[in-house]
């Protein structure tokens, strides 16, 4: 396939995306968190294209994006607490892993054999227009090759997946820049943190349980979000030939947020990792980031970027 065209996410672009999705193809498109690689979640051939384009292992299930609670109810048996959380945070960067309905009609590869499904209602006009136009749930993982840095603009997607997909809808830079927070809610109403993310845990008003080895999100491989260069954390200074990503008073070659604003740092993180990776240096050093609010999700992604490849780990256990 030739390189994917990047087209503006205007009415024409959105119509083109919907038509490709209807025909069983994949399309990269913006959300408020990161760019997603979407396919009609009900078409097995379309879902298979996501796994092929990303090089994603078949055991790693996909997040399904919905227009609203009505669509969510067709796919999952929503525990009361999941309904409460959705009412508070949807549309927005919260994904809920809940018991899947036997009659959900989704391609089986979407859930990778699990009895739960991860649902999210995105807060982005382009993604929402595509969802509403299609009228079906969209499976959409982040639009990067499996294990690589997530994309926060159309150029990142083109760099990583351009040769593997037919279309990238350009909706500008993602407002949040980090993937959604994933909470598991089981039938008994127990809430488990499966992935820290763009929704800061402080906003929940309660502390979710830590995931154990059996409930950890299958895709949380230790080495993830991996740049090609080695990554060194908590670096106040750079060593010779390292590209230094600074934070606050630690200036670095570039800075996640000179004013030490963690929201700004979250928004810039993946872009600076992409830039550092393309710098031609021999390594990436990253300044210390406080472990509060969005800092938790930033540090989670950085630890994974720095981890040696391979192996499953439970970061909370
Ligand atoms: O912000 C986001 O969540 C973005 C945008 C595009 O919506 N999507 C995203 O998808 O980050 P992805 O595939 O890159 O990450 C989804 C994670 C994976 O680690 C996967 O294993 C986990 O969600 N997951 C999917 N279904 C699950 C389930 N039923 N139970 C536990 N984890 C699940
Ligand atoms: Mg991802």
């Amino acid at each position: 396939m030739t390189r994917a065209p990047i087209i503006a996410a205007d009415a024409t672009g959105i119509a083109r995306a919907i038509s490709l999705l209807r025909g069983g193809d994949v399309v990269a498109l913006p959300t408020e968190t990161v760019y997603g690689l979407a396919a009609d979640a009900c078409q097995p051939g379309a879902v298979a294209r996501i796994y092929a384009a990303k090089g994603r292992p078949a055991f790693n299930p996909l997040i399904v994006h919905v227009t609203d609670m009505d669509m969510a109810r067709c796919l999952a048996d929503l525990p009361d607490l999941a309904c409460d959380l959705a009412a508070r945070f949807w549309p927005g960067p919260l994904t809920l892993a809940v018991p899947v309905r036997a009659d959900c009609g989704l391609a089986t590869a979407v859930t990778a054999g699990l009895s739960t499904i991860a649902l999210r209602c995105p807060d982005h006009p382009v993604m929402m227009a595509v969802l509403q136009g299609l009228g079906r749930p969209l499976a959409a993982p982040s639009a990067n090759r499996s294990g690589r840095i997530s994309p926060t603009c159309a150029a990142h997607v083109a760099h990583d997946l351009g040769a593997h997909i037919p279309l990238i809808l350009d909706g500008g830079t993602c407002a949040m820049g980090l993937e959604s927070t994933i909470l598991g809610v089981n039938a008994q109403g127990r809430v488990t943190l499966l992935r820290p993310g763009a929704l800061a845990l402080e906003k929940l008003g309660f502390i979710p349980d830590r995931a154990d080895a059996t409930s950890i999100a299958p895709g949380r491989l230790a080495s993830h979000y991996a740049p090609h260069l080695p990554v060194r954390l908590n670096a106040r200074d750079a060593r010779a030939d390292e590209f230094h990503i600074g934070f606050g008073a630690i200036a670095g070659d570039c800075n996640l947020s000179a004013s030490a604003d963690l929201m700004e740092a979250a928004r810039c993180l993946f872009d600076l990792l992409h830039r550092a990776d393309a710098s031609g240096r021999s390594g990436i050093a990253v300044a210390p980031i406080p472990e509060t609010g969005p800092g938790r999700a930033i540090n989670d992604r950085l630890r994974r970027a720095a981890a040696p490849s391979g192996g499953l780990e439970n970061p909370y256990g």
Side-chain angles (χ1 to χ4, degrees), residues 54 56 142 144 150 179 195 224-225:
K54 281 184 60 89
R56 183 173 176 112
S142 53
N144 50 278
S150 294
E179 303 86 346
R195 177 176 74 181
H224 214 99
Y225 313 100

Side-chain angles (χ1 to χ4, degrees), residues 54-57 59-61 141-151 160 179 182 195 217-229 231 233 269-270 273 297-313 315:
K54 281 184 60 89
R56 183 173 176 112
F59 63 77
N60 190 0
S142 53
N144 50 278
R145 292 284 290 172
S146 185
R148 294 283 155 202
I149 306 167
S150 294
D160 219 22
E179 303 86 346
I182 309 181
R195 177 176 74 181
R220 291 179 62 67
L221 294 162
S223 170
H224 214 99
Y225 313 100
H228 294 92
L229 297 179
V231 177
L233 304 181
L269 176 69
F270 290 139
L273 282 174
I298 294 172
N299 283 321
D300 170 82
R301 304 305 186 270
L302 285 173
R303 278 192 294 272
R304 285 159 189 286
S309 45
L312 276 169
E313 77 161 7

Side-chain angles (χ1 to χ4, degrees), residues 271-299:
D271 186 50
L272 295 198
L273 282 174
H274 276 279
R275 273 204 253 164
D277 214 22
S279 65
R281 310 267 177 94
S282 59
I284 303 171
V286 189
I289 310 291
E291 184 74 10
T292 55
R296 282 179 221 270
I298 294 172
N299 283 321

Side-chain angles (χ1 to χ4, degrees), residues 221-247:
L221 294 162
S223 170
H224 214 99
Y225 313 100
H228 294 92
L229 297 179
V231 177
R232 193 166 64 83
L233 304 181
N234 298 314
R236 298 186 172 275
D237 299 291
R239 294 177 187 153
D241 209 33
E242 273 181 339
F243 185 95
H244 196 194
I245 297 180
F247 178 76

Side-chain angles (χ1 to χ4, degrees), residues 50-74:
I50 293 182
Y51 283 91
K54 281 184 60 89
R56 183 173 176 112
F59 63 77
N60 190 0
L62 306 176
I63 293 179
V64 174
H65 298 69
V66 295
T67 47
D68 52 24
M69 283 298 279
D70 287 343
M71 194 182 269
R73 279 199 191 90
C74 295

